[in-house]
Amino acid sequence: MSMLTNIVGFSLFGLLARFGQLGIQKRNLFDNMGGHAISMAVFGYAGYWAYRWDIRAAELLADKRAEIAARRQQRVTERAGES
């Protein structure tokens, strides 16, 4: 998933959460647009952070897999040398 879709998706979720808040309170949904913008910005930043974390986690997993593969290869060569 690209960064833009992640940020927009989280922002829209923030907008829906804000509408849900106002709906529970039975207030006008379009009364305070600044609150909507703040909610969308906060959730959009959370989407950006989640995107960056996903990339970093993938890098960490790739590094760990390479490390495990190298250890396995080393064990195979050691066992072949013992025989």
Side-chain angles (χ1 to χ4, degrees), residues 8 30 48 65 70:
V8 169
F30 300 105
Y48 173 75
R65 285 186 180 128

Side-chain angles (χ1 to χ4, degrees), residues 8-35:
V8 169
F10 273 76
S11 292
L12 288 176
F13 181 78
L15 181 64
L16 291 175
R18 178 74 176 153
F19 281 162
Q21 282 178 329
L22 294 176
I24 289 171
Q25 295 175 357
K26 297 188 189 290
R27 290 174 48 197
N28 185 4
L29 296 181
F30 300 105
D31 190 26
N32 184 7
M33 291 296 181

